[in-house]
Amino acid sequence: TNMTMATLDGLMQGDAAADDNKILNNAWRGVEAMELYIRAHDCLYKGQVDKAMKFALPLEQYEDILDPVDIFSLIALTGFHNQMYGVCSNAFMRLEQLPDIAQERRDQYQDLAFKIFTKFKPKNPSMPREEMERDEVTPQFLKDLRKSYINKCIPR
């Protein structure tokens, strides 16, 4: 209805105007983090490894919300399955450098990384820039994500 659309427009304008509102942005960041995390897993389980990695990579920006072990493990896994061994290697380095990791766990990461990177060079294959940026999580994607959640909250 027109009233629903007017309400949605008002919420979106208020949301845009509230970019400086830390509380509102933090709430949305939690939604974004979980949505990207779930989508990355969903794509990975469907065998869409390229798409899974593209949803996993932006999770680095959400270390304040999600467990860094979960983030970098997912990035390493999607990078490996996508044959993006440079991405995988960087994720392993981040895992090994996390301050709250027990030495035993750190050793496990190092052992696994050694097994992988003695077989595969820690480099990403060359590909055209357009292909690398395809399906990238953009500011427009995040804005549309917020809009979809607002739409779910408005009764019809």
Side-chain angles (χ1 to χ4, degrees):
T1 67
N2 288 339
M3 187 172 175
T4 302
M5 291 310 294
T7 302
L8 178 58
D9 286 340
L11 286 171
M12 290 303 294
Q13 289 173 5
D15 189 31
D19 274 343
D20 294 333
N21 186 333
K22 207 172 201 175
I23 294 171
L24 184 59
N25 279 334
N26 284 343
W28 279 119
R29 282 180 45 73
V31 170
E32 293 165 2
M34 288 308 300
E35 185 72 24
L36 294 173
Y37 187 74
I38 290 168
R39 286 187 186 205
H41 277 87
D42 185 49
C43 290
L44 185 61
Y45 286 112
K46 289 178 179 174
Q48 300 168 334
V49 293
D50 182 53
K51 205 169 187 178
M53 189 180 75
K54 288 180 180 177
F55 282 122
L57 285 171
L59 290 172
E60 288 180 303
Q61 300 167 23
Y62 299 93
E63 283 186 64
D64 58 322
I65 296 169
L66 298 174
D67 183 351
V69 170
D70 292 338
I71 292 171
F72 294 109
S73 296
L74 182 59
I75 292 172
L77 184 63
T78 58
F80 177 80
H81 284 292
N82 207 31
Q83 299 178 351
M84 298 288 284
Y85 302 117
V87 168
C88 183
S89 174
N90 289 338
F92 268 107
M93 286 190 289
R94 294 290 301 269
L95 283 166
E96 292 170 17
Q97 294 170 0
L98 291 174
D100 298 333
I101 299 295
Q103 187 60 45
E104 180 182 351
R105 186 68 165 203
R106 193 178 315 278
D107 292 342
Q108 291 172 336
Y109 291 139
Q110 289 172 346
D111 290 344
L112 182 55
F114 181 77
K115 287 177 185 175
I116 291 171
F117 301 117
T118 53
K119 188 172 182 177
F120 304 102
K121 290 184 179 182
K123 290 175 47 177
N124 296 327
S126 297
M127 62 179 58
R129 186 159 183 75
E130 304 84 47
E131 187 176 334
M132 286 174 44
E133 292 176 351
R134 188 174 36 93
D135 299 329
E136 186 176 285
V137 176
T138 62
Q140 184 61 46
F141 172 86
L142 296 175
K143 183 177 180 180
D144 291 344
L145 179 67
R146 290 181 180 195
K147 196 174 195 176
S148 74
Y149 274 87
I150 290 171
N151 278 330
K152 289 176 186 176
C153 295
I154 296 175
R156 299 195 184 246

